[in-house]
Amino acid sequence: MTKWLLAIGVLIPFSSAQATQDPEALYNRTCAACHAGQLPQAPKAGDRAAWEPRLAQGMEILVGHVTQGFKAMPPRGLCMDCSAEDYQAIIHWMSQ
């Protein structure tokens, strides 16, 4: 029984790490502070023309920019509990 509990305890973090949070809720909580127009160089959500050249760089580059910080964007984009999958979902949501 102890082995089963140990195995489940080890696997739970891996299954939950793949789950992404709601991109719109994350945007409203952390991204909108800059991406709703307050910071002119931050592309606005829904501005496809502004997102097009950024998306052309590839999702890996964009997620790296968010994670490490880029220009005026602070590291992790102020979302300390976001995963790489969350960042991808937010970027996709904002670029539509």
Side-chain angles (χ1 to χ4, degrees), residues 75-87:
R76 303 197 58 81
L78 300 178
C79 186
M80 300 306 153
D81 65 336
C82 286
S83 66
E85 291 81 12
D86 290 324
Y87 293 132

Side-chain angles (χ1 to χ4, degrees), residues 35-88:
H35 288 275
Q38 296 84 334
L39 199 61
Q41 64 269 34
K44 294 179 188 174
D47 185 347
R48 291 183 181 190
W51 280 101
E52 189 174 310
R54 290 166 172 87
L55 291 171
Q57 297 176 58
M59 189 60 73
E60 186 176 326
I61 297 294
L62 295 177
V63 170
H65 286 170
V66 176
T67 305
Q68 298 164 13
F70 185 74
K71 297 185 180 180
M73 179 179 283
R76 303 197 58 81
L78 300 178
C79 186
M80 300 306 153
D81 65 336
C82 286
S83 66
E85 291 81 12
D86 290 324
Y87 293 132
Q88 290 177 15

Side-chain angles (χ1 to χ4, degrees), residues 7-19:
I8 291 171
V10 168
L11 295 175
I12 287 174
F14 292 112
S15 64
S16 63
Q18 297 301 316

